Amino acid sequence: MVGTGRGAKLGILIKNGEVLEAANGIQTVVFDKTGTVTIGKPVVTDIIGEEIAVMALAAALEHSSEHPLGAAILEKADSLGVTVEEVTNFIAIPGKGVTARMAGKQVFIGNAKLLDTRLDAKLEHEMQRLQSDAKTVVIVGRENEAVGLIAIQDAPKKTSAVAVTALKRRGFHTVMITGDTERVARAVANHVGIDTVIAEVLPGDKADHVRSLQQSGKVAFVGDGINDAPALAAANLG
């Protein structure tokens, strides 16, 4: 009763006494990245390629998408005065991106897993440079040929490093699980001080990684109540 009352005063809702007891003995704290470690408000920072052409293609595809990065792309396209064209045969591929038909041609936006051929040397170099700056990079293309890149950044919350430092001072092992690339995830983790990164994880696989970590001790998972529901439920403490 004292614990739940004290928590409420601090703005922390504790479900019941069993949950509070479960917090005792936690050895590992696992974080989702987007909206948990980061602000959750991604913005377009760089466009590689012919700016208007790349954004027109991207906006047309993202207009039908529900991905968080899509809002950032549409906002940027609007600021550039880009006209959003209609697409057909829209298909979202989890963990990869989206494809559709536009003006009779197959168009796509997503990560490297969506592209059947390798990027040319220039675009590959640009992608690595941007990812090293903790920016998520999506490839925009037509007929399986990349026409440009869009870099999107979701900055870490100012409080994230403080929270991680406090946890580590108390002896907790910290982990971040994300669907983003290893390079971007590592840059964010380094910024806030998180020990271990598990990257390029599909949303449905986060719970499996939590169970794997539980083999070494009790695990707490910190994440979004909608996207991370299975992982939150699988952890000893959500």
Side-chain angles (χ1 to χ4, degrees), residues 154-168:
D154 184 9
K157 294 175 182 175
K158 293 180 180 179
T159 51
S160 292
V162 177
V164 171
T165 299
L167 288 167
K168 290 170 73 173

Side-chain angles (χ1 to χ4, degrees), residues 70-105:
I73 288 171
L74 289 171
E75 188 176 314
K76 181 66 175 180
D78 184 60
S79 72
L80 293 172
V82 171
T83 301
V84 180
E85 295 186 36
E86 292 289 327
V87 298
T88 58
N89 298 82
F90 179 88
I91 301 172
I93 306 171
K96 293 185 179 181
V98 299
T99 67
R101 303 270 320 165
M102 180 177 171
K105 294 187 177 181

Side-chain angles (χ1 to χ4, degrees), residues 24-86:
N24 182 41
I26 293 293
Q27 294 172 289
T28 302
V29 181
V30 182
F31 296 92
D32 166 53
K33 180 176 77 71
T34 304
T36 302
V37 174
T38 63
I39 295 170
K41 182 72 173 73
V43 294
V44 172
T45 58
D46 305 83
I47 302 167
I48 308 300
E50 205 285 294
E51 188 176 77
I52 299 300
V54 170
M55 290 306 299
L57 200 55
L61 285 158
E62 293 295 353
H63 187 65
S64 301
S65 172
E66 296 179 351
H67 197 281
L69 301 182
I73 288 171
L74 289 171
E75 188 176 314
K76 181 66 175 180
D78 184 60
S79 72
L80 293 172
V82 171
T83 301
V84 180
E85 295 186 36
E86 292 289 327

Side-chain angles (χ1 to χ4, degrees), residues 133-203:
D133 289 336
K135 297 175 182 179
T136 299
V137 182
V138 293
I139 304 166
V140 182
R142 184 186 295 108
E143 296 291 325
N144 206 46
E145 181 179 342
V147 299
L149 307 173
I150 300 174
I152 303 162
Q153 189 165 45
D154 184 9
K157 294 175 182 175
K158 293 180 180 179
T159 51
S160 292
V162 177
V164 171
T165 299
L167 288 167
K168 290 170 73 173
R169 191 180 295 126
R170 288 165 172 76
F172 293 105
H173 177 62
T174 55
V175 179
M176 186 170 72
I177 297 181
T178 177
D180 220 330
T181 65
E182 176 75 30
R183 190 177 286 111
V184 174
R186 175 50 60 189
V188 172
N190 287 343
H191 183 82
V192 301
I194 288 175
D195 300 311
T196 303
V197 169
I198 304 173
E200 299 180 37
V201 178
L202 293 174

